[in-house]
Amino acid sequence: LVHNGDLANYHALSAYLRQRNIVPLFLTDTEVSALLFDLMDRVYGYPLEATIEALAPTTGRDLMMLPADKRQLYGAVQATHLHASPDGPWFFIIARSHPEARRWQLLGITDTSMLRPQVFALQEGKVQIGLVASEKQAIDAALESLAAEDERICPVADRYWSARGGSHTDGGSFVFTVSEPARSNGNGHPRELVVTDKFGNQITT
């Protein structure tokens, strides 16, 4: 997990974790962030959408704009885990792997106050590339560096977009998933990159 920002409620989050027998070792808000995600995702086994909602709850008008089933789900998540929601300026970039499912993911989660910008990019040519950063300039610098080493890569992405934390349209969170066909065994069947928002809607170029 990469964390850009500061958690104003670090001590409250640490107490929340200790109540669940999870004790931070390094006294940093980045560690607490990783432990919170792990608690929701691995320990509780929540669907990714619910985990994101616990960390970055949808509020105000955006919550009311959601379908009834989403409002009910998100209301239950917030009632249960509101004290686990990081406060202050932050965004997370999380990398995780599910080797048993031949799936690898990069997640970008933006706080609902949007006090830290988060930019996403997608390139789909001879190779697929997904990027997440705090600034478009960083993404362009990465692509320029890659293009200098590999002629298949363009120094400019096909699509750039920003996240709006807690949005009813995309949830302010995006997931880059690389999957490998089960029968490939690494030979002959290329991996595929699919980008979706918090609600599972696919992002394309």
Side-chain angles (χ1 to χ4, degrees):
L1 182 145
V2 176
H3 165 217
N4 179 7
D6 300 286
L7 302 186
N9 59 339
Y10 165 81
H11 293 290
L13 296 176
S14 297
Y16 178 90
L17 290 168
R18 287 190 179 93
Q19 291 167 0
R20 288 149 182 82
N21 296 317
I22 301 172
V23 181
L25 300 177
F26 304 106
L27 307 179
T28 67
D29 47 12
T30 302
E31 178 194 20
V32 164
S33 304
L35 292 174
L36 284 170
F37 182 86
D38 182 65
L39 175 68
M40 306 295 174
D41 182 70
R42 182 183 61 83
V43 178
Y44 291 160
Y46 286 169
L48 181 57
E49 179 183 357
T51 296
I52 294 171
E53 179 64 23
L55 295 173
T58 309
T59 59
R61 177 178 177 272
D62 281 290
L63 187 63
M64 298 307 298
M65 295 289 288
L66 291 171
D69 59 333
K70 295 292 186 187
R71 291 200 304 269
Q72 183 177 8
L73 170 63
Y74 291 1
V77 171
Q78 291 185 21
T80 307
H81 297 295
L82 188 60
H83 296 296
S85 300
D87 189 19
W90 62 267
F91 76 66
F92 300 149
I93 300 175
I94 301 170
R96 65 175 186 168
S97 60
H98 293 284
E100 72 286 350
R102 298 177 180 270
R103 188 172 71 245
W104 300 265
Q105 290 183 320
L106 186 69
L107 294 74
I109 306 175
T110 309
D111 78 89
T112 52
S113 299
M114 295 178 293
L115 296 173
R116 285 288 186 273
Q118 190 167 36
V119 182
F120 300 81
L122 177 61
Q123 183 175 124
E124 293 187 307
K126 293 181 179 179
V127 293
Q128 295 176 291
I129 303 176
L131 301 102
V132 187
S134 59
E135 298 175 342
K136 178 180 180 293
Q137 292 90 330
I139 290 175
D140 287 340
L143 286 174
E144 185 177 355
S145 177
L146 291 170
E149 299 180 12
D150 190 331
E151 63 180 10
R152 300 173 302 168
I153 298 173
C154 179
V156 179
D158 295 316
R159 180 172 179 179
Y160 299 85
W161 69 96
S162 298
R164 185 169 73 83
S167 166
H168 70 278
T169 56
D170 55 39
S173 179
F174 296 90
V175 184
F176 296 78
T177 302
V178 174
S179 301
E180 183 179 83
R183 62 181 178 175
S184 73
N185 295 321
N187 298 315
H189 296 278
R191 294 173 177 174
E192 181 184 16
L193 171 64
V194 175
V195 185
T196 57
D197 62 20
K198 175 183 177 180
F199 308 119
N201 302 313
Q202 187 170 351
I203 308 299
T204 65
T205 57

